[in-house]
Amino acid sequence: MVNASTAPAATGQTPSRLRVLIVEDERDLVEVLTYNLHREGFDTIVAYDGNEGLRKAQTQLPDLILLDIMLPGMSGTDICREIRGSERTRHIPIIVISARSEESDQIVGFSLGADDYVTKPFSSKVLIQKIKALQRRMESGSETSDVIEHLSVRIDRSRHRAFHEEKELDLTPTEFRLLEVMLRQPGRAFNRHELMDAAIGEGAIVLERTIDVHIKTLRRKLGEMDLIETVRGVGYRFRERFT
């Protein structure tokens, strides 16, 4: 068993280090995750039950959350709902780590606002790469325009805000990236794999129905079902123009 005490000390760390909140009741797994994250240069916050996890998410505002679903006190699904429902926490990326490996469980996780879903047992190296992919997306953007606007929808990337007809949209991080990808190339038909790669990241598990859940929720939030069009046999595209 890896001993977390051998990880680098937490003192003297700079604010630029990504802070990861681990909400997991398996203490051996927490030790391994903490060790590997420290070795890669991340800071960690730990919670062993659901209530503690939500409290630390709300008070310490981590940069990313690793969230188990089956937790004592409060389930991971309820935590996800609370985080996505709060103005202060709704933009924090969430990676679900769960023993529930059925496709239906993963679809539920994505529909609640998870950015990625990793099933146990998993490789620490793979998980680290997923975290780094999310970190790159959080830190990137200087090479492209901060404001994207088409028809009645506008995205401000620097402030991570989206608007439809000047009304602000309450989007999860994945929904935000998904909308951004389509809005950059209106009229282009994206297949589901392209959208998942762009919106969730490298190495993410791509489920045929997962992208459909995101699109359904995004359409509902936009309030106009015809802004995102279904391309039969391919996937989806953002409307190029109104006829």
Side-chain angles (χ1 to χ4, degrees), residues 12-26:
Q13 293 163 343
T14 64
S16 62
R17 291 168 65 99
L18 193 79
R19 293 196 308 155
V20 180
L21 170 60
I22 306 170
V23 188
E24 169 63 64
D25 62 330
E26 295 182 34

Side-chain angles (χ1 to χ4, degrees), residues 2 5 61 77 80 94 103 106 155 165 169 173 183 192 208-209 219 230:
V2 175
S5 64
L61 298 177
T77 54
C80 206
I94 298 173
E103 180 178 300
Q106 297 180 45
I155 283 180
E165 296 180 343
L169 302 172
L183 203 63
R192 290 170 175 81
E208 286 297 314
R209 292 173 54 200
R219 279 172 164 167
T230 299

Side-chain angles (χ1 to χ4, degrees), residues 97-193:
I97 50 175
S98 176
R100 295 181 175 178
S101 58
E102 295 296 323
E103 180 178 300
S104 59
D105 295 316
Q106 297 180 45
I107 291 171
V108 168
F110 284 123
S111 67
L112 289 172
D115 293 272
D116 211 335
Y117 195 110
V118 181
T119 57
K120 301 176 183 177
F122 54 82
S123 163
S124 294
K125 291 183 178 180
V126 171
L127 180 61
I128 292 293
Q129 289 307 308
K130 289 177 180 291
I131 292 172
K132 288 183 175 180
L134 281 173
Q135 182 184 26
R136 286 194 297 271
R137 282 193 294 279
M138 288 187 284
E139 295 175 347
S140 68
S142 58
E143 74 284 358
T144 55
S145 173
D146 282 339
V147 177
I148 311 163
E149 190 167 2
H150 180 65
L151 297 180
S152 56
V153 179
R154 174 167 53 90
I155 283 180
D156 186 333
R157 299 178 70 255
S158 64
R159 295 189 297 163
H160 205 277
R161 300 175 71 182
F163 303 85
H164 175 229
E165 296 180 343
E166 300 308 317
K167 180 180 179 181
E168 186 164 5
L169 302 172
D170 182 10
L171 304 181
T172 68
T174 295
E175 291 165 356
F176 186 94
R177 291 191 298 272
L178 188 59
L179 179 60
E180 178 189 345
V181 167
M182 292 188 291
L183 203 63
R184 284 192 178 280
Q185 299 183 67
R188 175 187 167 179
F190 292 87
N191 64 43
R192 290 170 175 81
H193 287 260

Side-chain angles (χ1 to χ4, degrees), residues 208-220:
E208 286 297 314
R209 292 173 54 200
T210 301
I211 196 65
D212 299 328
V213 173
H214 285 304
I215 292 293
K216 181 179 179 180
T217 305
L218 191 52
R219 279 172 164 167
R220 175 175 54 79

